[in-house]
Amino acid sequence: MFNFLANPARFNQVTDRLMPATAGLAGLFLSIGIISALIISPPDYQQGDTVRIMYVHVPSAWMALFIYSFIAITSAIGLIWRHPFAHLSAQAAAPIGITFTILCLTTGSLWGKPMWGAWWVWDARLTSVLFLFFLYLGFMALNKAFDDPSRGEKSAAILALVGFINVPVIKFSVDWWNTLHQPASLLRADGPAIHSSMLTPLFLMALGFIFVAVCVLVTRIKVLLLKRRIRLMRINGGKLRS
Amino acid sequence: MIEVVVEFIIMGGHAYYIWPAYIIATVGILGLWFFSIRELKYQKQILANLKEDISQKTQQRKCN
């Protein structure tokens, strides 16, 4: 897959064809998802209408974890097989991941205040997600910390791999420690604990978020490919002039 | 009809929390998309300028 798409011309050709459909699906799922979340889905018997925050909070949290896992996998590919496109993909995904982490933290805070009476508590789930935010920041900072881009890519990739330990910690934090945050409602051994009237908008919003993330990822990879090309042209131009 | 709309906006007394959550999510996602597309256009422009610059210099060299 990486070898097939590593050619910039082929990458642009494939993604240019798929982009309109992906963007259309993102718009479609988000539109239906928002209508279902705000109008069709019922209020919760305990939380009332505040449960509607779940439809933006939970998909944001999933995306934050999913994108970090993607970064860790592509970083591993970049380190093991020295594939420049892998590092590039990881670098392109980081701003998307950090945006979803910020969305997860802020919407969670807005949900926490009416439910727990506090905007923030230092419980295991919230603290580990905050740590994820700092991992994203560190990854992005390390990528730009060196004059030689390859050194930055390698350092950031190592951080991404070390930080991957935080992903299962986030997932199981609600089981391993006594937290104010509720335990898992979907990925449980005895099946989801959410009624289908709430599950449907949740999945629609999650699909919308996934398609948006794909569109933005493709755009950002194109930006980085162009930046690399411009850098190389400037270096070669400089050599010609000297 | 108006009562239904007002009830929807009030969100059971939790409008202060629900609407900001949706506004922040919408702004965050659309902002991410918008800035990425803007950056792509900007880089394409830089590349086009650079290509033009290089072709002009190549022509000048040929003339010299």
Side-chain angles (χ1 to χ4, degrees):
Chain A
M1 183 70 172
F2 268 114
N3 283 331
F4 178 75
L5 289 172
N7 179 317
R10 199 182 292 146
F11 178 82
N12 285 330
Q13 195 184 358
V14 171
T15 52
D16 282 348
R17 256 188 234 163
L18 295 175
M19 199 65 157
T22 316
L25 283 171
L28 182 75
F29 282 121
L30 285 177
S31 311
I32 303 170
I34 286 176
I35 292 167
S36 310
L38 289 173
I39 301 167
I40 301 168
S41 76
D44 184 64
Y45 78 109
Q46 279 183 321
Q47 302 187 32
D49 281 300
T50 53
V51 76
R52 296 185 200 285
I53 297 173
M54 172 180 76
Y55 305 118
V56 284
H57 172 72
V58 174
S60 301
W62 286 345
M63 292 310 296
L65 289 175
F66 179 72
I67 292 169
Y68 193 86
S69 306
F70 172 81
I71 289 173
I73 292 165
T74 47
S75 294
I77 293 170
L79 284 174
I80 297 164
W81 289 287
R82 295 170 189 270
H83 208 301
F85 191 76
H87 286 304
L88 197 101
S89 306
Q91 216 176 321
I96 310 167
I98 203 168
T99 305
F100 281 114
T101 311
I102 293 167
L103 289 183
C104 170
L105 289 168
T106 48
T107 54
S109 188
L110 284 161
W111 197 3
K113 180 65 180 167
M115 290 300 102
W116 306 334
W119 297 104
W120 180 265
V121 283
W122 290 101
D123 97 338
R125 173 59 71 85
L126 276 73
T127 310
S128 53
V129 174
L130 184 67
F131 188 64
L132 182 74
F133 168 75
F134 289 120
L135 280 171
Y136 272 121
L137 268 188
F139 180 84
M140 289 164 74
L142 268 179
N143 258 311
K144 295 188 175 180
F146 298 90
D147 289 333
D148 176 11
S150 65
R151 278 185 71 194
E153 282 170 358
K154 278 180 196 164
S155 311
I158 291 166
L159 175 75
L161 284 175
V162 173
F164 186 66
I165 193 77
N166 191 40
V167 172
V169 171
I170 293 172
K171 167 76 183 103
F172 297 109
S173 57
V174 285
D175 304 320
W176 293 342
W177 293 284
N178 284 323
T179 58
L180 200 53
H181 193 283
Q182 66 185 63
S185 311
L186 275 173
L187 300 170
R188 292 151 39 112
D190 52 346
I194 300 178
H195 190 261
S196 60
S197 58
M198 292 176 172
L199 212 54
T200 308
L202 186 62
F203 280 133
L204 286 169
M205 291 295 279
L207 280 169
F209 278 30
I210 289 169
F211 282 112
V212 167
V214 170
C215 288
V216 179
L217 180 67
V218 166
T219 311
R220 295 202 59 80
I221 289 175
K222 283 181 178 182
V223 167
L224 292 178
L225 283 170
L226 279 174
K227 276 185 176 174
R228 197 172 65 176
R229 193 174 165 194
I230 290 164
R231 197 176 63 237
L232 287 172
M233 279 174 82
R234 278 183 177 149
I235 291 167
N236 291 336
K239 276 179 187 168
L240 276 174
R241 274 194 288 275
S242 64
Chain B
M1 182 65 188
I2 293 169
E3 279 176 12
V4 175
V5 174
V6 170
E7 208 172 291
F8 171 70
I9 292 167
I10 288 170
M11 285 277 168
H14 291 114
Y16 286 123
Y17 306 104
I18 297 165
W19 291 116
Y22 277 83
I23 290 165
I24 289 166
T26 308
V27 169
I29 289 169
L30 290 181
L32 187 69
W33 204 338
F34 170 77
F35 284 113
S36 301
I37 289 169
R38 201 178 70 163
E39 176 75 3
L40 183 66
K41 282 182 182 168
Y42 178 66
Q43 293 300 328
K44 277 181 179 172
Q45 188 61 51
I46 290 176
L47 183 69
N49 292 344
L50 201 62
K51 275 182 179 172
E52 202 179 293
D53 189 38
I54 288 170
S55 72
Q56 276 178 358
K57 275 174 185 161
T58 314
Q59 276 182 346
Q60 275 178 355
R61 265 196 208 118
K62 277 179 186 171
C63 291
N64 293 336

